[in-house]
């Protein structure tokens, strides 16, 4: 199997695992909770998106990503991480702006995910990812969508 196929297979399998966890455990639990309590676990998953900053090291180690896409991926994920954290604080404080912040987070995260996926495919990054970058794309990237 070539590296691109292996990565897409791993990515797809991770997505199926996240869906199963969501449907079997998270959704039933969320139905019994308030909006703030239900949204919190979904946001906590995203506060670790700063791991995307490793793309700077990956580029230096040979990942053939352009500087512009590198910056879009890194800073898009950091912005998503910060928004997730701000939304968590707002939810915890029962702020009136909490839900609009969550929606802003969702819209920007979807745009960031699409931008990174399209950019990665255009620059053939999926076939050249190795090491930590491969693990992030295979296991963490599917949960961001």
């Amino acid at each position: 199997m070539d590296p691109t196929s292996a990565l897409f297979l791993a990515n797809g399998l991770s997505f199926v695992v996240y869906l199963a966890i969501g449907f079997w455990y998270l959704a039933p639990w969320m139905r019994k909770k308030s909006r703030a309590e239900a949204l919190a676990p979904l946001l906590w998953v995203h506060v670790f998106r700063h791991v995307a900053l490793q793309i700077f090291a990956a580029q230096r180690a040979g990942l053939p990503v352009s500087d512009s896409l590198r910056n879009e991926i890194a800073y898009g994920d950091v912005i998503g991480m910060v928004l997730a954290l701000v939304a968590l604080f707002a939810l915890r404080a029962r702020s009136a702006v909490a839900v609009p912040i969550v929606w802003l987070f969702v819209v920007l995260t979807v745009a960031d995910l699409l931008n990174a996926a399209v950019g990665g495919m255009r620059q053939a990054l999926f076939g050249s990812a190795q090491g930590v970058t491969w693990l992030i794309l295979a296991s963490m990237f599917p949960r961001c969508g």
Side-chain angles (χ1 to χ4, degrees):
M1 180 177 300
D2 67 88
T4 303
S5 298
L7 182 59
F8 281 127
L9 178 59
N11 192 286
L13 291 171
S14 291
F15 187 71
V16 169
V17 168
Y18 290 128
L19 281 176
I21 291 169
F23 282 115
W24 293 342
Y25 300 103
L26 196 56
W29 177 84
M30 289 172 67
R31 284 188 200 102
K32 300 174 189 170
K33 301 295 180 186
S34 69
R35 182 185 335 201
E37 289 174 315
L39 288 172
L42 300 175
L43 290 165
W44 274 113
V45 171
H46 291 272
V47 300
F48 300 100
R49 285 174 58 185
H50 60 282
V51 75
L53 291 170
Q54 70 78 40
I55 197 164
F56 290 97
Q59 183 189 42
R60 192 169 269 197
L63 184 68
V65 61
S66 68
D67 289 350
S68 62
L69 182 59
R70 176 205 63 201
N71 292 343
E72 291 171 19
I73 290 169
Y75 299 127
D77 276 337
V78 169
I79 290 167
M81 174 244 174
V82 169
L83 275 174
L85 201 53
V86 168
L88 282 164
F89 281 114
L91 287 168
R92 189 145 180 103
R94 293 179 163 64
S95 171
V97 298
V99 172
I101 292 171
V102 170
W103 275 110
L104 176 63
F105 162 79
V106 169
V107 168
L108 291 178
T109 293
V110 168
D112 178 55
L113 180 68
L114 291 173
N115 180 64
V118 169
M121 285 188 253
R122 282 189 180 145
Q123 295 187 20
L125 298 181
F126 296 105
S128 56
Q130 297 178 23
V132 173
T133 304
W134 193 93
L135 288 173
I136 289 170
L137 288 173
S139 62
M140 295 179 76
F141 188 69
R143 67 140 203 229
C144 292

